[in-house]
Amino acid sequence: MIIDKIAWLHLPEGKALLARSRGQDRFYFPGGKREAGETDEQALLREIEEELTVHLRPDTLQFLGAFEAPAHGQPAGTLLRMRCYAAEYEGTLQPAAEIEEMAWLTYHDRPRVSAMAQQLFDWLRQQGRLAD
């Protein structure tokens, strides 16, 4: 089974913004699944507004890459396929909906994040975008 998601990678000053849902033990990059008929952009803007109460600026949306990793908390063999974007935002970041906590993490925090986020942490560190 493949779970298809969209994610926002926001990394000011080398720290990554991650979120943790209620009842979950790992942090992940904010975003979510597309609803029927949604484009990547529409899904990402909707999900980020729902989860973190900010509006991503569509004119700043930049595709960063597509990644696959085992899906955390799912049956063995379930893959998470994620398309990742960067974008500037307007508003004040705060957890909403199912988000219990948001955090600014560095590579040192890698054990606290999902398998997909660990893969992205490695990639971002290799690019010099994520602080140790």
Side-chain angles (χ1 to χ4, degrees):
M1 177 179 173
I2 296 177
I3 299 171
D4 188 37
K5 289 190 172 183
I6 308 297
W8 180 39
L9 276 54
H10 185 55
L11 298 119
E13 300 174 16
K15 293 183 180 177
L17 174 64
L18 281 87
R20 185 177 58 77
S21 295
R22 283 183 187 81
Q24 297 296 315
D25 62 346
R26 300 288 177 109
F27 284 88
Y28 63 90
F29 284 96
K33 298 177 186 173
R34 285 180 215 81
E35 291 183 354
E38 276 187 326
T39 64
D40 284 4
E41 178 180 316
Q42 291 167 333
L44 189 61
L45 271 59
R46 177 185 50 76
E47 285 285 348
I48 298 307
E49 186 170 352
E50 288 174 5
E51 292 184 356
L52 300 174
T53 74
V54 297
H55 304 283
L56 295 184
R57 293 186 36 215
D59 59 314
T60 67
L61 210 61
Q62 176 187 7
F63 178 69
L64 299 176
F67 303 87
E68 280 189 4
H72 182 71
Q74 298 294 321
T78 303
L79 280 180
L80 172 59
R81 181 176 292 150
M82 201 157 70
R83 294 177 56 80
C84 300
Y85 292 84
E88 294 176 22
Y89 70 92
E90 296 171 349
T92 302
L93 290 164
Q94 57 187 12
E98 75 272 10
I99 305 304
E100 184 168 329
E101 179 182 7
M102 53 181 241
W104 297 97
L105 304 178
T106 63
Y107 194 77
H108 176 77
D109 299 300
R110 189 177 182 276
R112 299 173 60 196
V113 305
S114 69
M116 173 62 81
Q118 287 182 1
Q119 180 180 329
L120 289 168
F121 269 35
D122 294 344
W123 179 73
L124 291 164
R125 185 178 187 215
Q126 287 171 355
Q127 291 190 338
R129 297 182 66 185
L130 184 64
D132 286 336

